[in-house]
Amino acid sequence: MTSRDCVPLPVRRAAMAAAEALAAALREWAAAAARQDAAWRAALDACAPLLGSLAGLAAQMRAGQRLAWGGSPLGAFGELQARLWWKQRGAAEALLEQLGSRRAELRDVRDAVGAGVAGVLRLYEERAAELGLAASLQRGPRSPSLADALEGLQDVERYYRHLYLESKLLLLCISCDSLPDMEALPQSWERILERYKEDVVQDTLLKISLFVDNHRELCCSPGS
């Protein structure tokens, strides 16, 4: 007689039902997360050229400040320097508005992912007693454990939350009153992205896919 045979049938059925419910929730979360990650990447990609344009404007504005307007032929046009400055500032504000829209898209993804993760974890808390700790920790030759999958969800939520916060702080600090910093925006942006280059989302989606495809094998295995 195996250890599984010692478990009453109603208990095994409850554990299987709990595993099925969690696998379905993970499957649904993964499908939504794949869409959200595509939106996240598109928003990040859209930020780069806008930041490059802002850096170019900053370089032009700094050059204008260094120019000896009074000693050049342009000195005959007394209002030209101020008019050029305000035109450049207006262009910068338009770019900042576009960056604000991209930041809102990043925030929406962060919030959606966070809500999805919270929903799956809440379901696990509700069904944990039925499933049992051993089943939550059980790994197979082709499958991570449920605990591994849930840990991956939290890694994804943390990834979006931290990267959003750093990008938000950078974008909120952009100011035409600090042109050297504005000119260095592309490099500052790349440094942030470099710190988060590990593909946590795709790794987690793969982990969940393996668990969902093999969870019945884990639940029905001896000792589960």
Side-chain angles (χ1 to χ4, degrees):
M1 179 179 291
T2 66
S3 59
R4 179 174 175 270
D5 293 330
C6 297
V7 179
L9 181 59
V11 175
R12 293 204 302 271
R13 286 177 173 170
M16 179 62 76
E20 289 287 354
L22 283 161
L26 285 167
R27 187 185 299 110
E28 183 178 350
W29 181 89
R35 295 191 298 270
Q36 290 154 355
D37 191 54
W40 176 271
R41 291 173 184 270
L44 287 180
D45 290 344
C47 287
L50 296 173
L51 292 169
S53 296
L54 273 172
L57 266 176
Q60 295 174 25
M61 294 167 82
R62 291 184 72 192
Q65 290 177 339
R66 292 193 297 267
L67 181 64
W69 289 84
S72 73
L74 297 175
F77 305 94
E79 297 181 357
L80 181 59
Q81 182 178 9
R83 289 171 61 187
L84 178 60
W85 170 264
W86 285 110
K87 183 176 181 180
Q88 291 169 328
R89 193 178 184 97
E93 289 174 353
L95 289 167
L96 287 173
E97 186 174 346
Q98 294 181 60
L99 281 167
S101 297
R102 303 290 82 77
R103 182 164 62 86
E105 293 170 1
L106 293 174
R107 183 194 61 222
D108 289 346
V109 171
R110 180 208 62 180
D111 291 347
V113 169
V117 170
V120 175
L121 294 178
R122 186 165 53 250
L123 177 63
Y124 173 71
E125 290 174 359
E126 294 169 356
R127 308 298 295 267
E130 301 168 58
L131 187 63
L133 180 60
S136 298
L137 299 176
Q138 182 85 11
R139 291 188 178 96
R142 296 175 296 174
S143 174
S145 67
L146 173 61
D148 293 329
L150 295 178
E151 183 180 26
L153 262 65
Q154 295 175 82
D155 290 340
V156 170
E157 187 275 335
R158 192 178 303 112
Y159 161 79
Y160 284 126
R161 177 160 44 86
H162 288 179
L163 180 48
Y164 171 75
L165 179 60
E166 287 208 43
S167 62
K168 173 186 175 180
L169 291 176
L170 176 66
L171 298 180
L172 287 178
C173 289
I174 298 173
S175 171
C176 293
D177 297 325
S178 183
L179 294 178
D181 290 340
M182 198 161 89
E183 196 170 352
L185 280 171
Q187 293 77 21
S188 300
W189 183 253
E190 285 302 319
R191 282 196 295 272
I192 290 175
L193 297 184
E194 182 68 19
R195 287 198 290 274
Y196 295 91
K197 65 180 180 179
E198 185 179 356
D199 205 339
V200 175
V201 179
Q202 295 304 315
D203 289 347
T204 297
L205 290 177
L206 175 60
K207 189 181 297 183
I208 290 173
S209 176
L210 290 171
F211 172 79
V212 168
D213 289 344
N214 298 284
H215 72 280
R216 290 187 182 84
E217 177 183 303
L218 291 181
C219 290
C220 297
S221 62
S224 64

